[in-house]
Amino acid sequence: MSDPKGTPLGRVRNIGIIAHIDAGKTTTSERILFYSGKEHRMGEVHDGTAVMDFMQDEQERGITISSAVTTFSWLNHQVNLIDTPGHVDFTAEVERSLRILDGAVTVFCGVAGVQAQSETVWRQADNYGVPRIAFINKLDRAGADADHVVEEIRTRLGANPLLLQIPVGREDGFTGVVDLITHEYLTFDGDQGETVTVHPIPDELKDDAEVLGQDIMEKAADASEELTMTFLENGSLTVDEIREGLRILTLSRRIVPVLCGTSLRNKGVQPLLDAVVHYLPSPKDMPPVKGHKPGHPDEIIECHPVRKEKAVALVFKITDDAHDPLAFARVYSGELAEGQRLVIASNNRKERIARIWRMHANHREQMKSVGPGEIVGLSGLKFAATGDTLCDETRLVELEPPKFPATVISVAVEPKSNDDRDKLMDVISRLEREDPTFTHKLDPETGQLILSGMGELHLEVLATRITRDYKVPVNTGAPRVSYREGVTKTATGVGSFDQVLAGKNNYAEIEVTVSPLTDELVSRGELAVQEDLYPKPILAAVENSIRDSFASGPLGGYPVIHTLARIEKIKTREGELTETAATAAADIALRDAIHKGSAILYEPVMSLEVTAPEEFLGGIIHDLNGRRAEIAEVGQAGQMRFVKARVALAEMFGYATTVRGLSGGRADYSLEPCAYAPVPRNRMAEILGYDPNE
């Protein structure tokens, strides 16, 4: 199977670089681009010259904010690479990337090992069944320990890591690696580590290399019956046969090959690239992508990576590019060509591809057509959003979109000039199309514009983009928590509407019962009434009213969760039951029922992990106890100590400054949303400005 107009599919790799923040993802990506010949100089994160971090915010902050796509060649293979963020506030970028990738390289810090966000991205990759290889980075640092990181991958991630190299030297004395498959000692020479020099294995490592190499060979032999027979007949396997076995084991996710190096010091990146080619899957190695007929989720349709099928592509990212908006898409079947007309499967809206671009960060190369396995930018799409499937109108198929977490934090903004209000709303619409974890609403009481996102940094970056990139100066309020509402007991409410509108009587009385649900973040409505007694438009109006009321609850206008609403009765007078009356009565009834159901606020609770030297641990724990934190674990991470806890987001504003002061700037921490928990009753009145139980 091959793409007759491009690289054979078996020689294509679609991979992502994923990791905890500061593990060295972007530095590794920059070395990959240099050694592959894609770039003629190495960009550096610390001086703002990294090619893959091309946004001004990324260069100023020294972090990756938006996933960036590039394509390069290695060992006669085409590699499409996505460098993803490591900060939890931008986890949606990882989610959308892993949805369309075939494989991933997970980078771990040789000192810190498996960190909080390492676990998050690993879990995300598990959710999409993505095979991985691991790269233990920063082995030149004080306290680096590759064996400890391998053990943490095993114990904390539940994976089966297989170390393919022995690091030679420790910390400042790290010089290279022993390849346990080829039995060679590799150093990385030249001004930028561009020359891989092969040496005999140092005498002191020969025994270890022999034992570990034999173990790798035996594991490879177990990968298939053919390799087992070859091993039994010959007593050994060739290098190519070992790699074949490891590839089988990697693709089935039975092992995770582990490699070593230090990207900043230009050591170990070329063997990592070799491993991408040897062990990670091509599009044809992956099972056919399954979609369904729109509106018929049980009618499964398989999409095969061949040009002769009808076109199917998944839009996984939208960017409001300076030239024109781009839709990033992964092609799964068929061919995309300039001028081609497709439809969005979910709503049947027509789209036309104006241009196709192969991307290199923010640079473009125009393509006339592309086939399966390609990841490209598309110009000219007017309606497509993240998660939409583009397909031929003669074969409608809808693929599973990426899933994104709910927002947990909000901030009020307003333009500094009233003349900019319409422009601000236009900018917000464009940013929402880019970022599915960014939403807005108007506060019905204050009229304020409320922006919601994944964290303080997320909202700070968005506000900066509005002001700097789109030239709309805004005033920003203090961040605030995105609470939720719910009920704690079953209760029934009644709502009625009786008015004359445009000369016509409108009357409905509706009874709604609410009860608590234990399912996470779920709220839903049901009809208990006999449906054939009422016109379908009336029942639809009632259901829509319940849905809208769930989006803005009666306590503080927050979304309602954990709640089941049942429409028990609908009363009216002959000829007076209208959609207007039904909508209004249902809303009143639901709000009445929620109040009677001992309404409660829920607050987002975060998983917190703090890593710091031993001498600062006591002060950090004392501070967390004052923040209503539940300490779950205190442990050792290499030469550092860590604290894991669950803590309400409301208690964590400004924590970065606090923990920096408590540790002399030497602590690292991460926050990740994990649940919604009831707000203590004594704090509800403080949050709402009134006591809902009085």
Side-chain angles (χ1 to χ4, degrees):
M1 186 188 306
S2 66
D3 175 354
K5 297 185 180 181
T7 304
L9 275 180
R11 291 196 279 111
V12 172
R13 301 288 184 269
N14 290 316
I15 68 165
I17 308 286
I18 59 176
H20 184 90
I21 190 170
D22 288 336
K25 295 179 314 304
T26 301
T27 300
T28 302
S29 297
E30 294 298 316
R31 270 57 183 172
I32 286 173
L33 296 181
F34 177 77
Y35 295 131
S36 67
K38 187 70 177 183
E39 288 290 325
H40 299 295
R41 61 180 294 274
M42 288 183 182
E44 300 290 358
V45 175
H46 57 266
D47 62 14
T49 60
V51 174
M52 301 298 276
D53 284 350
F54 58 85
M55 293 174 58
Q56 188 172 345
D57 263 308
E58 293 176 318
Q59 294 168 355
E60 291 176 353
R61 299 173 188 271
I63 61 171
T64 302
I65 292 171
S66 177
S67 55
V69 182
T70 190
T71 300
F72 62 89
S73 295
W74 188 258
L75 297 182
N76 202 29
H77 285 63
Q78 175 184 318
V79 182
N80 301 317
L81 178 144
I82 300 181
D83 178 34
T84 66
H87 197 289
V88 68
D89 280 20
F90 309 104
T91 191
E93 293 290 318
V94 182
E95 194 77 32
R96 68 165 114 219
S97 299
L98 287 172
R99 169 62 185 85
I100 56 90
L101 291 171
D102 300 323
V105 175
T106 310
V107 180
F108 297 95
C109 173
V111 180
V114 175
Q115 299 167 275
Q117 190 67 2
S118 309
E119 296 185 59
T120 300
V121 298
W122 196 268
R123 185 173 63 251
Q124 289 173 301
D126 278 343
N127 290 340
Y128 292 112
V130 177
R132 275 143 279 171
I133 60 178
F135 181 61
I136 302 177
N137 191 27
K138 301 187 179 182
L139 287 178
D140 60 316
R141 299 284 185 90
D145 186 341
D147 290 334
H148 176 74
V149 179
V150 170
E151 185 59 25
E152 283 204 328
I153 294 172
R154 189 187 320 279
T155 57
R156 292 185 62 175
L157 302 179
N160 184 20
L162 182 61
L163 191 64
L164 303 187
Q165 299 171 336
I166 300 175
V168 180
R170 297 180 66 86
E171 301 178 354
D172 287 343
F174 176 70
T175 57
V177 297
V178 170
D179 188 316
L180 296 171
I181 298 175
T182 63
H183 292 277
E184 298 169 333
Y185 166 37
L186 308 177
T187 60
F188 305 89
D189 306 314
D191 293 340
Q192 296 175 302
E194 67 273 15
T195 303
V196 181
T197 307
V198 178
H199 310 269
I201 298 177
D203 291 340
E204 66 273 16
L205 294 176
K206 284 183 178 178
D207 290 344
D208 287 345
E210 184 65 31
V211 172
L212 294 173
Q214 184 67 23
D215 180 60
I216 290 172
M217 185 184 299
E218 291 173 2
K219 283 183 169 62
D222 287 338
S224 70
E225 291 184 10
E226 293 82 357
L227 288 170
T228 300
M229 292 303 298
T230 300
F231 182 68
L232 292 175
E233 291 172 3
N234 301 330
S236 64
L237 297 177
T238 66
V239 168
D240 287 343
E241 288 167 340
I242 293 172
R243 287 172 175 161
E244 178 188 346
L246 297 183
R247 178 177 180 79
I248 293 170
L249 295 172
T250 304
L251 298 192
S252 60
R253 296 167 57 207
R254 285 180 280 172
I255 67 166
V256 177
V258 181
L259 298 98
C260 303
T262 168
S263 297
L264 188 63
R265 304 301 174 209
N266 310 320
K267 300 181 190 298
V269 176
Q270 294 94 325
L272 174 64
L273 275 169
D274 294 344
V276 166
V277 168
H278 293 320
Y279 308 124
L280 290 182
S282 72
K284 75 173 187 177
D285 293 318
M286 305 300 287
V289 174
K290 294 182 179 180
H292 63 267
K293 184 178 179 180
H296 301 273
D298 296 331
E299 193 169 330
I300 304 301
I301 302 172
E302 289 190 347
C303 302
H304 300 86
V306 292
R307 280 187 184 263
K308 65 182 180 181
E309 285 196 0
K310 298 294 185 181
V312 178
L314 181 69
V315 176
F316 66 95
K317 180 181 174 74
I318 301 289
T319 62
D320 190 32
D321 189 85
H323 303 287
D324 63 315
L326 279 181
F328 286 79
R330 161 76 187 263
V331 185
Y332 284 101
S333 290
E335 181 181 57
L336 301 187
E338 285 189 354
Q340 186 174 3
R341 296 186 181 277
L342 298 169
V343 298
I344 299 172
S346 60
N347 54 32
N348 213 34
R349 301 189 81 165
K350 305 289 193 295
E351 292 278 27
R352 178 182 177 276
I353 299 173
R355 295 285 186 272
I356 301 174
W357 307 99
R358 178 167 288 160
M359 303 301 297
H360 176 45
N362 60 336
H363 301 291
R364 308 176 179 189
E365 173 192 351
Q366 189 171 346
M367 310 288 290
K368 291 297 182 184
S369 66
V370 290
E374 290 282 4
I375 298 174
V376 292
L378 305 176
S379 295
L381 305 189
K382 300 182 182 301
F383 310 110
T386 296
D388 281 341
T389 304
L390 299 173
C391 57
D392 190 283
E393 62 182 350
T394 63
R395 188 199 187 212
L396 296 179
V397 55
E398 188 171 358
L399 302 180
E400 179 189 0
K403 298 179 175 64
F404 300 107
T407 59
V408 297
I409 188 171
S410 302
V411 68
V413 300
E414 61 180 18
K416 291 186 177 180
S417 167
N418 285 330
D419 295 339
D420 287 333
R421 189 166 297 276
D422 290 342
K423 187 177 179 182
L424 175 60
M425 294 307 300
D426 176 64
V427 169
I428 287 172
S429 296
R430 294 163 74 173
L431 290 175
E432 283 182 327
R433 191 176 179 223
E434 279 193 25
D435 185 349
T437 61
F438 170 55
T439 61
H440 84 281
K441 70 174 185 178
L442 287 173
D443 188 312
E445 293 185 4
T446 66
Q448 282 185 310
L449 179 62
I450 308 298
L451 308 184
S452 298
M454 295 305 300
E456 289 183 84
L457 181 60
H458 186 204
L459 292 177
E460 184 182 323
V461 168
L462 288 167
T464 300
R465 289 193 64 193
I466 291 170
T467 298
R468 183 167 62 195
D469 298 351
Y470 294 98
K471 314 301 183 191
V472 183
V474 293
N475 293 315
T476 306
R480 59 189 190 182
V481 175
S482 291
Y483 292 99
R484 298 292 188 265
E485 302 179 21
V487 297
T488 57
K489 67 179 184 181
T490 299
T492 300
V494 177
S496 63
F497 184 88
D498 187 2
Q499 289 189 24
V500 177
L501 301 173
K504 178 178 174 58
N505 291 333
N506 294 256
Y507 174 69
E509 182 178 302
I510 293 180
E511 186 176 295
V512 175
T513 297
V514 295
S515 53
L517 291 173
T518 56
D519 296 341
E520 188 69 23
L521 299 183
V522 167
S523 62
R524 65 175 186 268
E526 294 180 355
L527 287 171
V529 300
Q530 191 172 336
E531 296 185 32
D532 58 4
L533 294 179
Y534 305 98
K536 287 185 178 180
I538 297 296
L539 296 178
V542 170
E543 290 180 317
N544 289 335
S545 178
I546 296 297
R547 191 178 304 114
D548 290 344
S549 298
F550 274 148
S552 180
L555 294 185
Y558 303 108
V560 177
I561 62 172
H562 303 316
T563 303
L564 171 67
R566 289 172 56 86
I567 314 301
E568 304 286 1
K569 296 179 182 178
I570 301 177
K571 297 180 181 179
T572 189
R573 296 187 289 260
E574 185 175 354
E576 296 184 8
L577 181 58
T578 63
E579 292 180 42
T580 299
T583 298
D587 177 67
I588 296 168
L590 179 63
R591 292 174 180 275
D592 181 45
I594 290 175
H595 278 297
K596 291 176 178 176
S598 292
I600 193 171
L601 283 182
Y602 290 93
E603 62 183 349
V605 175
M606 316 296 283
S607 289
L608 169 70
E609 182 170 335
V610 185
T611 304
E614 170 81 40
E615 61 264 33
F616 304 114
L617 195 65
I620 288 171
I621 292 176
H622 178 75
D623 175 74
L624 290 176
N625 287 333
R627 295 175 184 267
R628 295 192 286 136
E630 297 177 9
I631 306 296
E633 182 182 357
V634 179
Q636 193 83 28
Q639 296 183 339
M640 305 284 275
R641 299 296 302 276
F642 68 83
V643 181
K644 291 185 177 182
R646 284 165 56 102
V647 59
L649 175 63
E651 303 291 342
M652 297 304 290
F653 292 128
Y655 186 67
T657 302
T658 299
V659 78
R660 192 180 303 123
L662 289 171
S663 66
R666 296 174 64 190
D668 180 32
Y669 80 97
S670 66
L671 276 174
E672 180 185 358
C674 66
Y676 275 87
V679 172
R681 288 282 182 183
N682 61 351
R683 295 197 68 243
M684 282 179 54
E686 177 186 337
I687 294 166
L688 296 171
Y690 69 97
D691 188 341
N693 299 308
E694 288 185 353

